[in-house]
Amino acid sequence: MCTLCVSLCLVPALVLLSSSRYRVSLTALCRRVLHRLLKLARRKVCVRSTHSFVFSNCTHGKPDSVLETFDLYAETHPSLSLCPQEGEVLDEVVRRVAPLCVLELGTHCGYSSIRILRLLPPGGRLLTVEQDAQSAELAEELILVAGFKHTQFQILTQSSAEAIPALSSHLGPDARLDLILMDHDPQQYLLDLLLLQRLGLLSPAGCVLLVCSPQDPRSLFPLLEHLRAPACPVRARAPGLLELNCHSDRHDGREGS
């Protein structure tokens, strides 16, 4: 009798699953759940394993092949890379802003760096900051494998707090940052944003993208409180991505100094 009841209870589910439409929905749901579980395991990422897989399976000299191989790896392994949806948002922002100077905080394995570099206008340059020396070394190799040259990017192996005050020496005294991607320690986001503004490093139309980890949303509370100011409009671009349009304190006031 118990078996019969269980069987009857499962009939609606079996009917739904027999429909190809619902099979597709179920597959998509499972993929989203798997991706979320893998995101929760970010701290257990093996950077060397990611590098080895991408290096061995991508087509060298082809940025899109390198990115596709990253995505393939992330389907079954914990990954620090943006998910494809977040990557598409990043692509859209780079195309819209057409930045000449980009700062990335948190290089990780080089995935976002490659996404950005392949869409930069002629003469565009990326500065990317990674505190972990091994990650920086392996990311640099994959960026080179994708076909980019050192004249197009530079990796600074130091913390954001150390790198930001020295940016002018890498960019030039009058250069401004058109786009900033923050994907390092969320507890540093507000401090680094305030420092960038105070040093006048953001261009008047500068755009900031924040990668938001679902593991510790409380770390973003101080930043979100600061962003209530109308001078810094914010909007969600993807489940884990916020876009800010904040201007530096100096604006274009250098001409009056």
Side-chain angles (χ1 to χ4, degrees):
M1 184 67 176
C2 181
T3 302
L4 177 60
C5 291
V6 172
S7 300
L8 289 174
C9 291
L10 290 175
V11 167
L14 293 174
V15 171
L16 287 176
L17 292 176
S18 65
S19 164
S20 60
R21 176 179 145 203
Y22 284 103
R23 280 201 300 271
V24 172
S25 299
L26 180 63
T27 300
L29 175 61
C30 289
R31 285 177 178 169
R32 286 198 296 270
V33 171
L34 176 60
H35 178 74
R36 185 58 61 93
L37 291 173
L38 291 174
K39 279 285 187 183
L40 293 175
R42 280 169 68 102
R43 293 177 183 174
K44 299 179 181 177
V45 171
C46 177
V47 177
R48 188 167 292 281
S49 174
T50 306
H51 170 276
S52 177
F53 182 89
V54 175
F55 186 92
S56 301
N57 292 282
C58 72
T59 301
H60 289 209
K62 301 289 185 181
D64 287 339
S65 172
V66 176
L67 294 174
E68 289 167 3
T69 310
F70 266 113
D71 290 337
L72 182 63
Y73 181 85
E75 288 181 2
T76 54
H77 297 78
S79 172
L80 292 169
S81 304
L82 299 180
C83 71
Q85 183 183 2
E86 294 166 341
E88 289 170 7
V89 171
L90 176 59
D91 289 354
E92 183 272 320
V93 170
V94 175
R95 290 190 178 101
R96 168 165 51 85
V97 176
L100 288 176
C101 293
V102 181
L103 173 65
E104 177 186 28
L105 300 177
T107 313
H108 303 307
C109 299
Y111 178 87
S112 299
S113 302
I114 294 169
R115 286 203 88 109
I116 293 169
L117 283 164
R118 81 196 209 288
L119 296 175
L120 288 185
R125 189 159 176 260
L126 169 70
L127 284 176
T128 180
V129 177
E130 175 55 55
Q131 187 169 7
D132 181 73
Q134 183 188 64
S135 296
E137 179 183 352
L138 296 176
E140 180 176 28
E141 184 170 13
L142 288 181
I143 295 170
L144 293 171
V145 161
F148 300 106
K149 303 183 184 304
H150 282 119
T151 54
Q152 298 169 282
F153 75 96
Q154 183 177 358
I155 298 181
L156 306 178
T157 309
Q158 51 193 166
S159 69
S160 58
E162 296 169 322
I164 291 173
L167 286 178
S168 293
S169 64
H170 300 285
L171 296 171
D174 298 319
R176 304 286 186 87
L177 296 166
D178 304 306
L179 175 62
I180 298 169
L181 175 64
M182 292 190 179
D183 189 14
H184 55 316
D185 180 1
Q187 295 184 358
Q188 283 293 123
Y189 285 3
L190 178 57
L191 294 174
D192 290 342
L193 179 62
L194 292 174
L195 181 56
L196 287 162
Q197 290 178 307
R198 188 163 64 250
L199 294 175
L201 291 171
L202 295 179
S203 70
C207 176
V208 182
L209 284 176
L210 306 176
V211 178
C212 306
S213 170
Q215 296 158 274
D216 187 14
R218 290 174 299 178
S219 63
L220 292 177
F221 287 173
L223 175 65
L224 296 176
E225 185 69 25
H226 171 73
L227 295 178
R228 288 184 178 183
C232 217
V234 55
R235 61 173 174 152
R237 296 300 313 273
L241 209 58
L242 295 178
E243 179 180 347
L244 321 179
N245 293 103
C246 297
H247 310 308
S248 66
D249 290 342
R250 296 189 202 177
H251 300 285
D252 285 326
R254 293 185 180 185
E255 59 210 33
S257 60

